[in-house]
Amino acid sequence: MLADPQGLLIIGTNHRKAPVDFRERIAFGPEEVEAFLKRAHEDLHGSDCFLLSTCNRTEFYTINLNGNSVRDTWTLLSSHKPIDPTRDAENFYQYEGREAVEQLFRVATGIDSQMLGEPQILQQVKTAFEASLKVNVAGVVGERLLAAAVRCGKRARAETDISKGAVSVALAAVSLSHKVFADLAPRTALVVGAGETGSLVAQNLRDHGIGRLLVANRTLEKARTLATATRGEPMDLDGVREALVEADIVITSTSAQTPLISAEMVRAAMKHRHNRSFLLVDIGVPRDIEPAAGSIDNVFLQDIDSLQGMIEQNLLRRRREVPRVEHIISEEVDRFLEWYAGLQVGPVIKELRTRLEELRQHEIQRAHLSSEQREAAEQVTHGLINKILHRPMKLLRHSTSQGEAGMRRMQTIREIFGLDESLDNSNSEKK
Amino acid sequence: MELAIRLLATLLPITYGLVSVAYVLIFFRNDPVARKLAPRMLVITVLLHAAYIALLTVELRRVPIATSFESLSALALALAIVYLVQERRSGTPYTGMLFIPLVFVCQTVASAFISPTVAIKPILQSPLFGLHIAGALLGYSGFAVSAIFGFLYLMLYYELRAHRFGIIYERLPSLEVLSEMNWRAAMFGLGCLTLAIGAGALMSLKIYPQFWRDPKVWLSVLTWVIYSICLLVRLAGGWRPTRIAYFTIAGFLLVVFSMLAANRLFPSFHDFRA
């Protein structure tokens, strides 16, 4: 069992722990973060600090090396936000040591998010990491911990399907476009309906690099507003029939009571399209496109039910990936704790002695000496190593009482003597 | 050397089998270990396969592509190389689930029936014969690749039409990419087959003046006609990608038949054993 990182503490809240009005109250705006981190670093006597504040969570991490108590951290938080540590305790979670590391890694992989596996959280962790680095409050352990969290998040996304597949209607509609067409840049999309869903779809299509975007709406003014926001071309519903010939993707989300696009209109358009593939996505209820259009060759018609089916399937697949992500988290936590254990004075001293002893033995064996020469060499090199080690050992023993500075010193010694590398590596570098 | 040839003939189906399992794991489970190992294992297997063909060439004192099973082994190697190149270019390993098992089957059949002691008719050691065989093999590889992409296209096409968004939807590239690969590979195959038929006809005018009576010639010309129809109609904009996919699959089945079965069912001069 690896040693817990002493002093690592996280106090936080998220969508499962507190209602939205409470989360809003204690959230930190981007402009507040740096000032808070500086203040926290001062108040907690130079401890490593890191703050993650998104729409669904606010988490404060600190690595207390200087004898601060948990109560000090609560005091700090309540001096910045309207928090009563006693009354609001049930709205928070608090983890220490290994559990705190696990929590950060769970957040980075997206398995702690409201939308399981959401991809944005990793970027948010990186941004928060950069804020700590910018104001110089991350510290040696904090830097390593945050870099490990980012690596863990990347691994989860690369090695599992935790972030795969669209899980919102607007994204599902766009993901279908990518399954039919290789590249959206040379394609034209027609969005029919400029309401909330239509706006989201149009924005997503623009974000995914659609070449040309047509926006049709019953009220031309509304179509114009959305078209301006998404660099599209506005039109009224009378233009839809003609637009079907040009568009490769049609996404409809109107509240019309009868279908706006008939199978006959699609059939007529296909004659002019020279059999180019045609993707129709109907998000409207009642439906905007006649279902019979889906039976025309090379026409791919999807409605709200099929999109919902896709979303449910993607969520199910993500849920199935959770154990694999947890396995990655466990590996990365062990890896971090192994590094952390190496920062303790005892193991560093032991490793340093072993490393130099290995080098000494290695060089003596390479020298092809007679037994008398070997004996003399043994004596000389022993003495030499003891002399070389004298000062580093003294400094190391003092490191325990020097908090962050001591940690930095231990890390520097590890780097100088290559304690994180194998002997073969260091020998080959020497050659 | 004979021992090494035998050893490799036994080893290749095993290694291709293991690589096939790895690609199946990648497709269904996106297994990280398989994702790391499969491409490396495939490169090693391809190198072993190339060594096998080189040893056979030295042992037989000719390029081993004169019999059906020798050709099948060369075809398996060509397919594996084509797949490796395609995987490097596209960056996605998911189509390997269909390619590599096909390579495994080809090499297993070749390893089981290949006979390294067979000598060929001396007259067939001309450069035109080499061009004929190389063209045919590259052409067949192109048709095989085209058929695989055609099959994948149809799988995704019907999944989308049936509103099924399972693993096939998740893993395969877009319909446009599949259709383009289906088409390009078929056209590459057609170009090579044209070369093979041309070289074969030129050579046969001297050796087998009655070559046009040979069933394998008929089957090859029929294959050529099928793919040429595909080319003409597609260029005229008359066919949908689904029909082209079906045609290329049918064309490849005809290729397999003409490669393996035709020699056994009908008398043919396409048996080059002395």
Side-chain angles (χ1 to χ4, degrees), chain B residues 179-196:
Chain B
S179 160
E180 203 53 36
M181 293 297 289
N182 171 232
W183 167 247
R184 281 189 194 177
M187 289 310 102
F188 171 79
L190 179 64
C192 293
L193 185 65
T194 309
L195 187 76

Side-chain angles (χ1 to χ4, degrees), chain A residues 309-428:
Chain A
M310 181 201 281
I311 290 167
E312 275 163 33
Q313 208 154 350
N314 288 337
L315 279 172
L316 184 69
R317 190 178 318 136
R318 287 186 183 194
R319 279 196 283 274
R320 281 200 204 116
E321 291 297 289
V322 170
R324 291 175 69 195
V325 175
E326 277 171 346
H327 182 70
I328 291 172
I329 292 172
S330 166
E331 280 179 1
E332 288 296 332
V333 169
D334 285 347
R335 196 168 158 182
F336 171 75
L337 295 183
E338 218 166 277
W339 171 84
Y340 184 82
L343 277 187
Q344 309 306 302
V345 175
V348 175
I349 290 174
K350 198 176 160 199
E351 274 180 63
L352 193 52
R353 274 212 168 276
T354 313
R355 169 54 57 98
L356 290 184
E357 183 58 25
E358 278 171 359
L359 283 171
R360 196 184 68 77
Q361 295 281 0
H362 186 76
E363 292 304 314
I364 285 179
Q365 271 167 18
R366 273 173 20 129
H368 305 293
L369 303 171
S370 66
S371 58
E372 285 128 37
Q373 287 171 324
R374 182 180 293 272
E375 206 175 310
E378 291 271 1
Q379 274 181 5
V380 171
T381 51
H382 255 306
L384 192 62
I385 280 179
N386 283 338
K387 285 208 165 72
I388 290 172
L389 281 178
H390 177 71
R391 187 153 174 80
M393 293 293 185
K394 203 172 155 190
L395 287 171
L396 275 172
R397 286 195 186 96
H398 281 113
S399 297
T400 39
S401 58
Q402 291 176 338
E404 176 69 19
M407 286 283 192
R408 281 204 185 276
R409 182 175 294 155
M410 271 188 275
Q411 181 61 12
T412 307
I413 286 175
R414 293 189 74 85
E415 281 167 14
I416 288 173
F417 288 97
L419 297 188
D420 293 323
E421 296 163 17
S422 69
L423 185 62
D424 289 346
N425 279 349
S426 58
N427 280 336
S428 63

Side-chain angles (χ1 to χ4, degrees), chain B residues 221-244:
Chain B
V221 172
L222 184 60
T223 309
W224 186 88
V225 169
I226 286 180
Y227 283 99
S228 299
I229 289 172
C230 253
L231 169 75
L232 292 174
V233 185
R234 154 115 189 210
L235 289 179
W239 272 5
R240 289 180 289 279
T242 35
R243 195 168 294 172
I244 291 174

Side-chain angles (χ1 to χ4, degrees), chain B residues 2-47:
Chain B
E2 210 183 313
L3 182 69
I5 290 170
R6 275 193 201 159
L7 200 70
L8 283 171
T10 313
L11 190 64
L12 283 173
I14 297 170
T15 50
Y16 275 126
L18 290 172
V19 181
S20 300
V21 172
Y23 276 101
V24 169
L25 281 174
I26 291 174
F27 190 87
F28 287 105
R29 297 198 52 211
N30 202 14
D31 189 275
V33 180
R35 277 191 79 130
K36 207 177 274 180
L37 288 182
R40 291 171 194 180
M41 283 162 68
L42 184 57
V43 169
I44 293 168
T45 307
V46 162
L47 291 175

Side-chain angles (χ1 to χ4, degrees), chain A residues 182-203:
Chain A
D183 183 10
L184 296 188
R187 302 288 163 194
T188 298
L190 166 65
V191 174
V192 185
E196 194 183 336
T197 312
S199 304
L200 276 172
V201 167
Q203 195 52 59

Side-chain angles (χ1 to χ4, degrees), chain B residues 46-194:
Chain B
V46 162
L47 291 175
L48 286 175
H49 200 156
Y52 171 67
I53 302 264
L55 286 175
L56 268 180
T57 307
V58 174
E59 177 77 3
L60 301 174
R61 289 179 201 160
R62 60 175 172 81
V63 181
I65 45 177
T67 68
S68 299
F69 298 116
E70 288 172 6
S71 304
L72 200 60
S73 182
L75 177 66
L77 178 62
L79 267 176
I81 293 171
V82 166
Y83 172 73
L84 265 180
V85 173
Q86 186 262 329
E87 186 184 301
R88 289 278 155 92
R89 285 183 62 183
S90 68
T92 166
Y94 299 122
T95 50
M97 201 267 289
L98 269 184
F99 270 93
I100 307 304
L102 181 68
V103 173
F104 163 69
V105 171
C106 288
Q107 185 52 40
T108 306
V109 174
S111 285
F113 297 106
I114 211 161
S115 170
T117 53
V118 170
I120 59 163
K121 294 167 185 169
I123 203 159
L124 295 172
Q125 298 197 347
S126 79
L128 266 182
F129 180 66
L131 198 65
H132 172 66
I133 295 289
L137 274 177
L138 285 173
Y140 292 170
S141 308
F143 294 145
V145 172
S146 170
I148 289 172
F149 278 106
F151 182 68
L152 293 172
Y153 177 89
L154 291 174
M155 273 166 64
L156 183 57
Y157 178 89
Y158 288 112
E159 288 284 296
L160 274 171
R161 302 263 296 183
H163 315 300
R164 281 194 296 262
F165 306 105
I167 200 144
I168 290 168
Y169 175 86
E170 189 56 46
R171 300 283 194 247
L172 292 186
S174 68
L175 281 174
E176 194 179 6
V177 166
L178 294 173
S179 160
E180 203 53 36
M181 293 297 289
N182 171 232
W183 167 247
R184 281 189 194 177
M187 289 310 102
F188 171 79
L190 179 64
C192 293
L193 185 65
T194 309

Side-chain angles (χ1 to χ4, degrees), chain A residues 283-322:
Chain A
I283 311 177
V285 180
R287 284 181 284 188
D288 295 323
I289 304 173
E290 245 178 33
S295 59
I296 300 167
D297 273 352
N298 228 20
V299 170
F300 304 94
L301 171 62
Q302 309 291 340
D303 59 21
I304 187 74
D305 281 355
S306 55
L307 292 190
Q308 289 294 359
M310 181 201 281
I311 290 167
E312 275 163 33
Q313 208 154 350
N314 288 337
L315 279 172
L316 184 69
R317 190 178 318 136
R318 287 186 183 194
R319 279 196 283 274
R320 281 200 204 116
E321 291 297 289
V322 170

